[in-house]
Amino acid sequence: MFATVEKQRNGIVLINIDNEETKIVFTNYGARIVSWKYDDNSIVLGNIVEADEFYEPNPFFFGATVGRYGGRIANATFELDGKTYHLEHNDGAHNIHGGTNGLDSRFFDYQIEEQVGQIKIIFTTQIKSTDDYFPGDIELKVIHTYDMDHKWTIEYEATTTEKTLFNPMNHVYFNLNRDNNMIDNHYISSNKLAMYPLGEDNIVNSTDTIDLSTIFNSNKIQFKELFTSENPKIKQQMDMFNGVDHPFEVENGEMAVENKRFVLQVKTDMPNIVIFTFNDTSSWDSDFNIYKAHSGFTLETQCIPNDINLYGDKAPSIITPDQPYYSKTSYKIFEKADI
Ligand code: GLA
């Protein structure tokens, strides 16, 4: 296992990790994943060759570290300790991905540590209250580790100068199919698959979940079954968003996604996983946009979007200066014959 560093134009650095049958690539721009391959099969969406042109204008946040707050905050407003905060309205009336000056568009400092059986890239940056209008300045480490078992782990470590919201995530899009054909054939599985319905403008405004395992009488459900379901609750959601763009609660933060050849296992200490099936690609007007709807899916591990307006001072994304933030998510790829 070894790492090599490659400098592209415009400040972009690619860090390539080679682990024989798998290879993974990260960049300092947004502390993001750029590529992950099993043999010659690309299992994430991205672009190594023209990374410097591809990522900056990409409105879908491919592979980026997103935050300080990953999901939508309704009306770009929240209240904390009796004070009302007004954020940037960068998604209609709402705030998404922490605003336009979020983590995805920063050049992180980095350090590479080659250890026994694994390679770690420690990315560091700061977000100031003046950058995004949330309270508190944050010091952040995003640590990407890749190990001999073809497991990619993300750890976030942060401290804040004031009580604030912190809810970062990674916006990688997976696709286990050869040539990244549409993901409708993939199965998602977990002992619990509870989906939070969305209201208008993709906002989570209810914690009354739809229990997919009961509806389908199975813990393993194909995306296609969801997209075409006649169940009125599911159909209403799929018709509104042309696919999945929903937070899920899964058993013990563990779920798997598979196609015929591969299994991707996810494990997180975050309470929710937002699955977004790339439902409408038309807003990206670029020659780089070769993507059809449903050509990838995200597994964004985070506290439920808009938690501050759902749970008030009990919102799990609240962090304080006396308690450093830590969270961990891993994605592991297997070839089925290996299991
Ligand atoms: C998240 C949101 C989606 C979409 C994407 C792209 O996944 O849930 O609605 O906005 O980000 O930014």
Side-chain angles (χ1 to χ4, degrees), residues 223-231 235 238:
F223 276 130
K224 193 165 89 191
E225 293 177 77
L226 273 178
F227 297 156
T228 58
S229 173
E230 289 299 327
N231 173 282
K235 188 170 166 28
M238 296 302 125

Side-chain angles (χ1 to χ4, degrees), residues 53-54 62 83 87 100 106 190 197 230 238 241 265 271 276 322 334:
E53 293 172 66
F54 180 83
F62 278 31
K83 195 168 164 198
L87 307 170
T100 49
R106 298 189 176 213
S190 174
E230 289 299 327
M238 296 302 125
F241 304 107
Q265 284 179 339
F276 171 54
D322 58 339
F334 294 81

Side-chain angles (χ1 to χ4, degrees), residues 44-79:
V44 302
L45 305 185
N47 185 329
I48 303 188
V49 182
E50 294 137 321
D52 63 320
E53 293 172 66
F54 180 83
Y55 286 100
E56 210 254 82
N58 179 320
F60 291 103
F61 296 76
F62 278 31
T65 301
V66 173
R68 74 172 82 186
Y69 194 99
R72 290 180 173 84
I73 296 181
N75 301 313
T77 308
F78 67 93
E79 202 179 288

Side-chain angles (χ1 to χ4, degrees), residues 59-61 72 96-97 171 173 202 245 274 276 298 300:
F60 291 103
F61 296 76
R72 290 180 173 84
I96 190 169
H97 300 335
H171 214 304
Y173 291 78
N202 305 51
D245 191 2
V274 171
F276 171 54
T298 67
E300 308 160 27

